[in-house]
């Protein structure tokens, strides 16, 4: 049962468990789904604006949590955007936060952020669903995982101009307290930072997709630290005056969202080229069978955008993406479908 915070009572601490469709619970019909994405993000990324794109992408999570007074709602960071769910009484907070971050992105970052809002009922009418599970990545940090195809459908509708939130008359600044990009990019230790998206096709059974996802994860899990992109050693803060102890750093690494389920697998990993080639072969075969679509992007570094809620600094969250275009470039390849194979070697 989902409570008023959109939380099922159980949080799963092992990622493979959230690949099981049975652990997901439906959100109530009257809940709201908000979605943001940076328009032409790949253009901004090609001109080196990775951090701005990620900051704009994560901004609605910070703005909404600060306005709502709690980060206890389901959300997912997607690199050049984010998605969230909120109970119906959050409609003013959601609308206002979406308008504010769109204004902020345009005025401060020179980026166009598309923002949309709709109800779970509208998604269900289309034949899709929104179900969530909670993944406790560490003792202090829990991320929501989404399934049912509803977010994917809603994002497509918003890109087509439906459910858009119109700009407000009065532009107020979003409260982005706690959102920062304090760390230098993280170089790959094993060869390449991989950004990977894998989505089931509409007719693929959840069981078939879960089995495939487990095969893919088994390849990455065999590596040290499950191919975690943040090294076990200390990272470098941009502000060289800041000191971070080993314990503090290990908590940052533990609280990061390097593996997610968001109507499909969404991974940021540090891999050997052989691991990536092996997984790409598994996925290309599954795509040829008509089970999935996928996109991947290889780059030299990972980027981290951090959210430290002022009310509960222990539950700090760290959003990861690849620095060479990451999820946005992987999504571009996925949209190109079979054409993605041609670009594979044009790194």
């Amino acid at each position: 049962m989902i409570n008023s915070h959109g939380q099922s009572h159980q949080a799963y601490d092992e990622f493979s468990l959230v690949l099981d469709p049975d652990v997901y619970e439906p959100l109530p019909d009257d809940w709201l789904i908000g979605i943001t994405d940076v328009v032409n993000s790949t253009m901004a990324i090609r001109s080196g604006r990775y951090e701005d794109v990620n900051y704009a992408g994560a901004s609605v999570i910070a703005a909404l949590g600060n306005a709502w007074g709690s980060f206890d709602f389901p959300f997912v960071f997607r690199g050049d955007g984010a998605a969230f769910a909120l109970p119906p009484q959050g409609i003013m907070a959601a609308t206002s936060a979406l308008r504010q971050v769109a204004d902020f992105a345009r005025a401060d970052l020179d980026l166009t952020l598309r923002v949309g809002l709709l109800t779970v009922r509208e998604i269900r009418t289309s034949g899709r669903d929104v179900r969530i599970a909670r993944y406790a990545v560490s003792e202090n940090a829990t991320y929501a995982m989404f399934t049912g195809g509803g977010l994917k459908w809603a994002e497509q509708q918003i890109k087509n101009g439906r459910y858009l939130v119109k700009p407000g008359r009065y532009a107020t600044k979003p409260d982005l307290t706690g959102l920062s990009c304090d760390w230098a990019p993280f170089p790959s230790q094993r060869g390449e930072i991989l950004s990977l998206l894998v989505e089931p096709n509409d007719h693929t059974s959840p069981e078939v997709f879960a089995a495939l996802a487990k095969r893919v994860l088994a390849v990455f899990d065999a590596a040290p630290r499950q191919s975690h992109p943040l090294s076990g050693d200390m990272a470098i803060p941009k502000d060289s005056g800041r000191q971070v102890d080993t314990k503090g750093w290990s908590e940052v690494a533990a609280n990061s969202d390097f593996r997610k389920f968001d109507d499909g697998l969404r991974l940021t990993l540090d891999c050997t080229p052989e691991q990536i080639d092996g997984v790409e072969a598994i996925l290309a075969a599954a795509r040829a069978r008509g089970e999935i679509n996928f996109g991947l992007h290889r780059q030299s570094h990972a980027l981290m955008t951090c959210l430290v809620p002022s009310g509960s600094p222990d539950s700090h969250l760290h959003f990861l993406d690849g620095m060479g275009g990451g999820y946005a470039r992987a999504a571009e390849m996925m949209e190109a479908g079979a054409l993605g194979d041609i670009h594979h070697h044009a790194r």
Side-chain angles (χ1 to χ4, degrees):
M1 198 41 217
I2 303 253
N3 67 18
S4 61
H5 291 302
Q7 293 179 346
S8 44
H9 293 303
Q10 184 168 7
Y12 299 89
D13 61 1
E14 202 176 312
F15 187 73
S16 61
L17 296 174
V18 297
L19 299 176
D20 176 356
D22 295 338
V23 306
Y24 286 81
E25 301 184 39
L27 281 177
D29 262 359
D30 58 357
W31 272 52
L32 304 162
I33 299 295
I35 292 181
T36 72
D37 77 295
V38 173
V39 179
N40 288 336
S41 55
T42 43
M43 289 293 290
I45 285 162
R46 285 199 175 103
S47 58
R49 302 188 60 205
Y50 321 107
E51 286 191 1
D52 287 348
V53 168
N54 278 183
Y55 196 79
S59 62
V60 77
I61 300 169
L64 187 54
N66 286 328
W68 187 240
S70 155
F71 286 85
D72 237 358
F73 56 91
F75 58 78
V76 62
F77 169 69
R78 296 164 147 188
D80 61 352
F84 64 83
L86 215 57
Q89 63 269 31
I91 188 156
M92 295 304 289
T95 306
S96 162
L98 286 164
R99 280 183 178 142
Q100 287 174 344
V101 296
D103 284 340
F104 162 78
R106 188 172 54 248
D108 290 42
L109 302 175
D110 193 28
L111 292 171
T112 303
L113 193 65
R114 184 169 23 219
V115 295
L117 190 65
L118 70 169
T119 63
V120 171
R121 184 179 291 109
E122 286 166 307
I123 291 171
R124 288 204 174 113
T125 304
S126 81
R128 312 303 198 285
D129 200 3
V130 185
R131 299 194 301 279
I132 66 163
R134 294 169 68 225
Y135 170 45
V137 68
S138 73
E139 278 178 38
N140 293 319
T142 299
Y143 289 97
M145 308 280 126
F146 292 83
T147 194
L151 291 192
K152 184 178 164 186
W153 179 84
E155 182 180 29
Q156 206 46 61
Q157 297 304 306
I158 288 161
K159 282 183 173 170
N160 293 340
R162 292 182 73 195
Y163 307 116
L164 292 173
V165 173
K166 305 275 188 293
R169 274 182 303 184
Y170 308 104
T172 51
K173 291 272 185 205
D175 179 358
L176 300 180
T177 305
L179 188 66
S180 66
C181 302
D182 285 344
W183 303 93
F186 303 91
S188 164
Q189 312 275 313
R190 298 195 182 98
E192 309 202 70
I193 297 290
L194 172 69
S195 302
L196 178 64
L197 299 174
V198 188
E199 288 182 355
N201 286 340
D202 284 347
H203 56 267
T204 303
S205 80
E207 292 71 23
V208 166
F209 186 77
L212 178 72
K214 284 174 184 168
R215 273 185 73 197
V216 167
L217 283 165
V219 175
F220 298 126
D221 284 354
R225 303 178 67 249
Q226 300 175 304
S227 302
H228 201 305
L230 303 182
S231 79
D233 309 326
M234 289 296 297
I236 301 164
K238 284 186 194 160
D239 170 5
S240 52
R242 276 184 61 205
Q243 291 300 310
V244 185
D245 59 20
T246 316
K247 180 176 181 291
W249 172 247
S250 67
E251 284 179 8
V252 167
N255 286 17
S256 65
D257 69 341
F258 74 110
R259 300 184 299 183
K260 294 183 278 203
F261 198 89
D262 161 25
D263 278 343
L265 274 183
R266 185 179 289 272
L267 309 174
T268 300
L269 304 168
D270 188 0
C271 311
T272 64
E274 294 75 22
Q275 274 180 303
I276 301 174
D277 291 344
V279 163
E280 190 167 17
I282 292 171
L283 294 174
R287 185 170 65 194
R289 292 192 301 270
E291 294 170 0
I292 57 143
N293 196 359
F294 75 97
L296 56 81
H297 188 68
R298 307 159 188 243
Q299 55 246 301
S300 58
H301 289 69
L303 273 184
M304 183 163 70
T305 309
C306 303
L307 178 58
V308 183
S310 51
S312 52
D314 283 350
S315 60
H316 48 99
L317 301 164
H318 303 279
F319 304 132
L320 289 165
D321 197 6
M323 192 180 91
Y327 289 134
R329 293 292 296 276
E332 199 179 26
M333 173 178 161
M334 186 155 67
E335 280 161 26
L339 294 175
D341 290 342
I342 297 163
H343 301 305
H344 162 46
H345 296 294
R347 295 255 273 281

